[in-house]
Amino acid sequence: MPTDLRLIGSGSSPYTRKLRAALRYRRIPYRFVVAGSEEQKALPERPLPLMPCLGFPDPDGEPTDPMSDTTPILNRLEDDFPERSVRPADPALRFIDALIEEEGDEASRAHARNRLGTLRSWQQRTRKLMPIVMAVLGGAKFFDKEPTDEETII
């Protein structure tokens, strides 16, 4: 089990904050390294320079296995550190968890690209996503019709 994890990122990045929150909640020890710092330059190159990176140590304790996509990082942490899981055990809930996480990541990307259109596009995506979630849960159809702008409380 790795013990010397290093999270390289920017404190203002929503993806870095997502990883820091998961690591803190799960009580997994890690060291935060500011992207572009001298310490970061001594570490292996990040696969995606603009994204946060979590360096997993090799058997000698050196961080040699960097990962940059937050969802696979969280999945690997689930495998390496089974305590205080952030993923549901139930397969249906795990599927919904994956949909919500992907939607959250997409909303973060959309927000970074276009701050003005984010709320509207989020509403449109939610209208498409919720029937899938309700079908997985075995419930009735969430929207019997497209809600009007006045009916939408988002």
Side-chain angles (χ1 to χ4, degrees):
M1 175 163 45
T3 56
D4 189 23
L5 300 176
R6 296 199 191 146
L7 175 59
I8 303 165
S10 166
S12 62
S13 163
Y15 301 110
T16 301
R17 290 194 305 260
K18 173 183 171 180
L19 290 175
R20 290 180 88 172
L23 290 164
R24 280 192 298 243
Y25 169 77
R26 300 199 54 212
R27 298 182 183 136
I28 298 172
Y30 72 98
R31 187 165 66 205
F32 181 68
V33 178
V34 176
S37 68
E38 290 301 317
E39 183 179 4
Q40 186 258 314
K41 291 175 185 173
L43 296 172
E45 187 175 335
R46 297 186 293 167
L48 300 170
L50 296 178
M51 298 295 290
C53 173
L54 190 63
F56 290 89
D58 63 13
D60 297 327
E62 294 298 318
T64 58
D65 190 11
M67 294 179 72
S68 281
D69 190 342
T70 57
T71 300
I73 289 172
L74 292 177
N75 291 338
R76 179 162 174 187
L77 290 173
E78 288 289 318
D79 294 339
D80 292 353
F81 299 90
E83 304 82 20
R84 290 180 63 95
S85 175
V86 295
R87 303 280 193 228
D90 178 84
L93 293 179
R94 190 176 281 260
F95 172 73
I96 292 170
D97 174 71
L99 284 176
I100 292 170
E101 181 177 0
E102 182 59 32
E103 180 59 30
D105 285 349
E106 181 58 32
S108 292
R109 285 188 288 274
H111 182 68
R113 286 190 306 264
N114 178 9
R115 293 173 191 261
L116 297 175
T118 301
L119 177 61
R120 191 71 191 141
S121 65
W122 184 83
Q123 290 172 334
Q124 292 166 349
R125 289 192 313 271
T126 301
R127 288 181 183 144
K128 293 177 183 174
L129 179 65
M130 288 311 296
I132 297 169
V133 171
M134 294 308 292
V136 169
L137 290 176
K141 191 174 179 186
F142 187 76
F143 292 121
D144 291 329
K145 61 178 180 66
E146 283 289 314
T148 65
D149 287 337
E150 291 79 28
E151 295 171 323
T152 305
I153 309 174
I154 295 176

